[in-house]
């Protein structure tokens, strides 16, 4: 029987490795090393690593014995485990995926498009008329770079203008290529909806004829690729590529290795790929830190520096020239100037301190942040009545909008806008300070006097009127995907669940589904920080557990607080918060090295 806390899939794989080894005639010691190696690498993958590093500490197996087991071999061997030349142990399919992704990215990067035409060059100058003094305009340089390359990776924190950059890039491309086929996507439904709405808002600053040709919808990557459920093959792949000339992917920090590979391999040879994200955010839930690896080095070759200088007017001397050639030179741009909040605002200073790992400064920002920031010291292991009252009060505008709906004022836009002003973010799912418990208590709040909600007991299978829902499983049949959020409401037809229709152009529209048509869902008053990626709210409350956990990291705190535009309150023990800010995520993987090897 497995001991408590052990990964059952890792144990099953380890047992299989031992059986394979014995079937190959390996001695008992080698078979036991196969068991230990298989278990260790499977556990590493479950924790988000692509591989197991064999350096920096004692190993749970003898390496020579593992090599003699018959189940581990060098790259190219037909073995379930792969030992690369840099002291990394892989599951074979992850090594293959990493290698294929590196090759596909480099092929895309080295297929240069035709140089930008006169229309694109003129529009680039018109859209960025700023002075040439001081720091370069990296939004303009990012657009210019993307006009000259097929792969562009743009990393920037909240409010640094990634969507503005993309809107202007699309306009420049359409000026040269009126029939350019453009697809917008993101890993989750919420992130896709935000990309679509943000792009629509920025279209007003573009020439009317080009704004009218911008794509009107965005989708999840799963929907775009035609990925089914339960491991079904995608509709689009290497042999049936996507019908696009440009793919823009927002919130690319959420890309795991498998999804990134399926996306890149589905691109036709002539396509461009733009990846937008924040390298300092939480990494993907599944194995891999693809965006962090790809965006690690913003450097330009001398030839590209000269090309960008000619396109933009910025002198070559202000551009970051590569000291030594790298595999993704001329692909990466960092945007650092935030337009959401000033660099000297409390939120701006907190975000910058977290990126730099300045724990004392970050704590000072929280403890002396005025109206923008607040640290509420937790008083015990549970969620106190006072803390819950703080959390519930954040939804006051939503409670009011819900009462108006139930009184007959049926304004879905106002209801969703009120709900999206605020969100509770939890570090964990379980425990009194986790997502499940907080959501249950807030569902009980729906039955408070004045909200006119049925007194029926809380039941996960039957949403209450006013209960917000997050979809947890991709379901092409209902056109609902992981991360989509709807609200259960009573109307003339009874109880229905309304979702924003991300496929519609112009004014926001909605889809109504019967509750029994929904795929797996959960209440969405409180979300895990991971689930909040791709979202933006006016105010955020971050709730940490009472006890320390490896889940509590600098990246988690940064991701949570940067979901807010204006206000953040953190409910936690100060000591535990400091420990979390000092702990940084490290994902093991060899993508950067694979890029270098494939390049050579």
């Amino acid at each position: 029987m497995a001991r408590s806390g052990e990964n059952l899939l890792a144990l099953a794989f380890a047992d299989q490795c031992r059986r394979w080894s014995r079937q190959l005639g390996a001695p008992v010691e080698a078979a036991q090393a196969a068991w230990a190696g298989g278990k260790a690498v499977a556990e590493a993958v479950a924790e988000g690593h692509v591989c197991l590093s064999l350096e920096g500490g004692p190993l749970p197996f003898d390496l020579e014995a593992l090599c003699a087991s018959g189940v581990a071999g060098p790259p190219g061997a037909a073995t379930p485990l792969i030992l690369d030349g840099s002291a990394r142990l892989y599951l074979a399919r992850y090594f293959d995926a990493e290698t294929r992704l590196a090759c596909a990215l480099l092929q895309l990067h080295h297929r240069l498009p035709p140089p930008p035409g006169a229309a694109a060059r003129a529009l680039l100058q018109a859209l960025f008329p700023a002075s040439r003094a001081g720091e370069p305009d990296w939004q303009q340089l990012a657009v210019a770079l993307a006009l000259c390359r097929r792969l562009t990776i743009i990393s920037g924190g909240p409010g640094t203008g990634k969507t503005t950059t993309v809107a202007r890039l699309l306009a420049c491309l359409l000026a040269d290529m009126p029939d350019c086929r453009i697809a917008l996507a993101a890993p989750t439904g919420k992130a896709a909806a935000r990309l679509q709405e943000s792009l629509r808002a920025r279209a007003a600053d573009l020439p009317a004829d080009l704004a009218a040709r911008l794509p009107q919808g965005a989708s999840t990557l799963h929907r775009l690729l035609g990925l089914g459920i339960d491991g079904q093959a995608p509709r689009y792949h290497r042999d049936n590529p996507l019908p696009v000339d440009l793919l823009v992917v927002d919130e690319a920090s959420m890309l795991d290795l498998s999804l990134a590979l399926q996306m890149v391999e589905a691109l036709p040879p002539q396509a461009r790929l733009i990846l937008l994200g924040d390298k300092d955010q939480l990494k993907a839930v599944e194995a891999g830190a693809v965006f962090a690896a790809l965006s690690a080095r913003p450097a330009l070759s001398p030839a590209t520096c000269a090309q960008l200088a000619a396109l933009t007017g910025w002198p070559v001397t202000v551009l970051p020239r590569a000291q030594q050639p790298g595999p993704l030179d001329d692909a990466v741009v960092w945007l650092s100037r935030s337009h959401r909040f000033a660099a000297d605002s409390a939120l701006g200073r907190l975000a910058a301190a977290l990126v730099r790992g300045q724990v004392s400064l970050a704590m000072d920002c929280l403890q002396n942040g005025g109206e923008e920031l607040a640290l509420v010291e937790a008083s015990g292991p549970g969620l106190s009545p006072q803390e819950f009252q703080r959390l519930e009060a954040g939804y006051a505008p939503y409670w009011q909008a819900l009462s108006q709906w139930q009184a007959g004022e049926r304004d879905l836009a106002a209801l969703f806008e009120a709900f999206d002003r605020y969100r509770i973010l939890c570090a964990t799912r379980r425990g009194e300070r986790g997502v499940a418990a907080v959501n249950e208590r807030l569902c009980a709040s729906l039955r408070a006097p004045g909200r006119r909600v049925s007194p029926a007991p809380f039941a996960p299978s039957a949403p209450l009127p006013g209960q917000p829902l997050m979809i947890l499983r991709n379901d092409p049949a209902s056109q609902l995907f992981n991360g989509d959020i709807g609200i259960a409401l009573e109307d003339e037809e009874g109880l229905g669940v309304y979702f924003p229709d991300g496929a519609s152009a112009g004014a926001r529209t909605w889809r109504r589904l019967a509750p029994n048509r929904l795929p797996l869902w959960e209440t969405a008053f409180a979300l895990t920080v991971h689930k909040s990626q791709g979202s933006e709210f006016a105010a955020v409350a971050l709730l940490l557990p009472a006890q320390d956990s490896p889940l509590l990291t600098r990246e988690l705190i940064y991701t949570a607080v940067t979901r807010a535009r204006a206000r953040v309150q953190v409910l936690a023990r100060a000591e535990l918060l400091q420990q979390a800010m000092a702990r940084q995520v490290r994902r093991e993987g060899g993508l950067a090295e694979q890029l270098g090897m494939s390049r050579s």
Side-chain angles (χ1 to χ4, degrees), residues 74 80 157 180 229 311 317 326 362 543 584:
C180 184
I229 57 175
L311 281 171
T317 53
L543 184 63
Q584 193 168 18

Side-chain angles (χ1 to χ4, degrees), residues 183 185-187 195 221 247-252 255 263 273-277:
L195 173 61
L221 275 169
L247 173 59
V248 178
V249 180
D250 199 8
E251 298 295 341
L255 288 173
M263 172 191 73
L273 174 63
I274 311 292
L275 298 179
L276 309 173

Side-chain angles (χ1 to χ4, degrees), residues 363-378:
M363 289 297 295
D364 181 69
C365 291
L366 276 169
Q367 292 166 335
N368 301 284
E371 294 184 359
E372 286 185 67
L373 300 176
L375 173 59
V376 181
E377 182 77 23

Side-chain angles (χ1 to χ4, degrees), residues 478-558:
S478 64
Q479 287 297 290
L480 291 174
F481 294 83
N482 184 19
D484 288 351
I485 287 183
I487 298 177
L489 295 166
E490 284 185 313
D491 56 21
E492 294 77 6
E493 301 177 46
L495 183 65
V497 184
Y498 286 86
F499 291 87
D501 190 346
S504 298
R508 209 173 185 191
T509 59
W510 317 89
R511 286 195 301 143
R512 183 189 188 280
L513 281 80
N516 61 6
R517 289 189 57 200
L518 300 180
L520 186 67
W521 57 267
E522 68 180 4
T523 308
F525 282 118
L527 308 176
T528 61
V529 178
H530 267 104
K531 287 285 188 181
S532 76
Q533 287 181 269
S535 300
E536 178 185 313
F537 313 100
V540 159
L542 172 61
L543 184 63
L544 297 190
Q547 302 298 323
D548 195 16
S549 162
L551 294 173
L552 303 183
T553 65
R554 181 190 309 169
E555 290 85 354
L556 181 135
I557 306 299
Y558 171 83

Side-chain angles (χ1 to χ4, degrees), residues 124 137-148 152 154 165 169 274 308 312 333-335:
L124 179 67
D137 185 337
W138 279 104
Q139 290 187 27
Q140 182 189 29
L141 287 161
V143 172
L145 184 65
L147 291 172
C148 300
T152 310
I154 303 174
T165 302
L169 164 63
I274 311 292
L308 296 185
T312 65
V333 173
W334 289 358
L335 303 179

Side-chain angles (χ1 to χ4, degrees), residues 184-197 217-221 250 534:
L184 307 177
T188 68
K190 184 67 175 177
R194 274 205 62 231
L195 173 61
Q196 175 185 334
E197 291 170 4
S219 71
T220 64
L221 275 169
D250 199 8

Side-chain angles (χ1 to χ4, degrees), residues 170-394:
L170 298 186
C172 289
L173 278 175
L174 288 167
D176 264 358
M177 304 168 57
D179 298 324
C180 184
R181 299 170 299 172
I182 301 168
L184 307 177
T188 68
K190 184 67 175 177
R194 274 205 62 231
L195 173 61
Q196 175 185 334
E197 291 170 4
S198 298
L199 192 60
R200 186 178 297 153
R202 285 153 181 79
D205 299 328
L206 302 175
D209 61 324
L210 295 174
R213 283 189 267 140
L214 291 179
Q216 296 297 316
S219 71
T220 64
L221 275 169
H222 283 82
R223 184 184 304 178
L224 180 73
L225 296 172
L227 283 165
I229 57 175
D230 301 326
Q232 295 175 10
R235 177 184 178 187
Y236 295 106
H237 44 76
R238 280 184 294 186
D239 298 324
N240 183 37
L242 287 162
V244 299
D245 300 305
L246 169 64
L247 173 59
V248 178
V249 180
D250 199 8
E251 298 295 341
S253 62
M254 301 167 69
L255 288 173
D256 60 75
L257 177 62
S258 175
L259 184 57
L261 176 63
Q262 289 174 307
M263 172 191 73
V264 175
E265 288 194 334
L267 289 174
Q270 83 283 356
R272 285 175 163 95
L273 174 63
I274 311 292
L275 298 179
L276 309 173
D278 184 346
K279 61 182 176 56
D280 298 308
Q281 276 194 33
L282 280 168
K283 310 303 184 284
V285 174
E286 303 297 332
V290 173
F291 188 77
L294 298 183
S295 60
R297 186 175 186 265
L300 302 172
S301 67
T304 297
C305 283
Q307 189 177 24
L308 296 185
L311 281 171
T312 65
W314 290 101
V316 170
T317 53
V318 303
L319 303 180
R321 296 181 60 176
Q323 299 302 308
Q324 294 183 339
L328 288 184
D329 287 350
D330 307 326
V332 180
V333 173
W334 289 358
L335 303 179
S336 58
R337 182 185 174 193
S338 178
H339 303 276
R340 181 183 299 178
F341 35 72
D344 59 353
S345 69
L347 265 171
R349 288 187 291 111
L350 174 60
L354 287 168
V355 168
R356 299 185 186 114
Q358 297 169 323
V359 176
S360 297
L361 178 57
M363 289 297 295
D364 181 69
C365 291
L366 276 169
Q367 292 166 335
N368 301 284
E371 294 184 359
E372 286 185 67
L373 300 176
L375 173 59
V376 181
E377 182 77 23
S379 58
L383 186 63
S384 71
Q386 293 78 16
E387 287 179 300
F388 181 72
Q389 287 171 6
R390 278 181 170 270
L391 296 177
E392 185 187 31

